[in-house]
Amino acid sequence: PQHRSGNSHIIGSIAVDLCQLDATSSYILVAVHAAVPHAVTTVKLDSKTEHCIADALGEAVLTLEQFWGIPAVLRIHSDRESGLVSQRPLWTSRAIRITTTLGDDPQSNGAAERYIGILGQKARRRIAHVKDPVTRAFLWPWAMRHAADSYSFDEYAKLGLRPALANSAPRSHLPFLTAVVAHATCAKHRADENRARQAVFLVVSRDVPGGVIVLLTSEIKQDNTVTA
């Protein structure tokens, strides 16, 4: 089915779209639940193949439902991205309806486009000081995810809510690339060994309650580029 206007403000309906930092950067899938409570999440795509889009969309749905605790997703609205449209039988088998915009009306996926603009602007500000193009490309997906998380945490806070898999509020709002100390938990470490590692904060973990994902400072070179 095609709908010129996808009403993503209906509870259980999400809007999705893809975006890039530039022509050489990774694609990011942005998924938005625009009904109350507002929640938005992003997932990096390794490529635009049908398999990668299906995996990314599945992760986005799980994140919105299980981490943010939105009502069960019943409808996914997007533009006519072939990698998504071709997966319609898969999602139908999961009782999720796929709807698309008309090809000549990009604004009919307005909710996703709006949040791509909001998050893209925030993410670009987070990496504006990074001049090395390889490092910018590496940080881009993390900056988008941080921007999405920060926006959603703020929206939930306005309603006095916390995510279903609640993380501690101070950790959730650390600025992107804040200097932190990470503690290794590998069993091979001696009891008297210093396990502290200098790092920078990237995002809140979606899998470990209270956990975060960091980039070790040892992986950052003197010229502020990232070791691949």
Side-chain angles (χ1 to χ4, degrees):
Q2 295 179 351
H3 297 264
R4 183 166 292 273
S5 178
N7 188 355
S8 59
H9 288 73
I10 298 174
I11 293 176
S13 178
I14 66 173
V16 302
D17 206 346
L18 305 181
C19 68
Q20 286 179 289
L21 173 64
D22 53 46
T24 62
S25 66
S26 300
Y27 277 96
I28 306 294
L29 183 141
V30 177
V32 181
H33 181 253
V36 177
H38 300 306
V40 57
T41 191
T42 66
V43 182
K44 175 188 174 184
L45 274 69
D46 293 327
S47 71
K48 285 185 69 177
T49 63
E50 294 178 6
H51 176 74
C52 286
I53 290 177
D55 284 350
L57 186 54
E59 181 178 340
V61 170
L62 286 175
T63 299
L64 289 171
E65 289 182 345
Q66 297 183 7
F67 184 88
W68 292 106
I70 72 166
V73 173
L74 301 176
R75 176 174 175 262
I76 300 172
H77 184 76
S78 77
D79 59 18
R80 300 185 67 183
E81 175 61 52
S82 60
L84 177 60
V85 174
S86 63
Q87 298 292 324
R88 181 174 282 133
L90 169 66
W91 294 103
T92 300
S93 69
R94 301 179 183 180
I96 296 177
R97 186 182 185 192
I98 297 291
T99 60
T100 61
T101 63
L102 294 177
D104 61 351
D105 188 12
Q107 293 304 314
S108 58
N109 196 20
E113 294 289 346
R114 174 174 176 266
Y115 280 87
I116 283 176
I118 292 172
L119 300 183
Q121 184 180 52
K122 292 178 180 293
R124 285 178 170 82
R125 284 202 297 265
R126 284 161 166 76
I127 59 176
H129 65 288
V130 180
K131 305 305 180 184
D132 176 65
V134 175
T135 302
R136 282 175 60 85
F138 170 80
L139 291 174
W140 163 247
W142 297 112
M144 280 291 287
R145 179 167 157 180
H146 184 277
D149 287 350
S150 296
Y151 181 90
S152 298
F153 272 113
D154 288 345
E155 289 298 307
Y156 270 55
K158 293 175 184 177
L159 300 173
L161 301 175
R162 298 184 71 188
L165 297 181
N167 290 270
S168 61
R171 290 180 180 178
S172 68
H173 289 288
L174 280 179
F176 191 60
L177 301 182
T178 295
V180 295
V181 176
H183 293 273
T185 57
C186 178
K188 294 181 179 179
H189 285 284
R190 301 190 311 273
D192 60 344
E193 184 177 355
N194 183 2
R195 303 183 186 182
R197 300 289 185 270
Q198 298 298 317
V200 292
F201 175 81
L202 294 178
V203 294
V204 170
S205 173
R206 294 169 177 166
D207 303 310
V208 181
V212 299
I213 298 175
V214 301
L215 174 65
L216 294 178
T217 305
S218 59
E219 298 177 0
I220 304 175
K221 301 178 182 178
Q222 290 297 321
D223 57 359
N224 289 325
T225 59
V226 175
T227 303

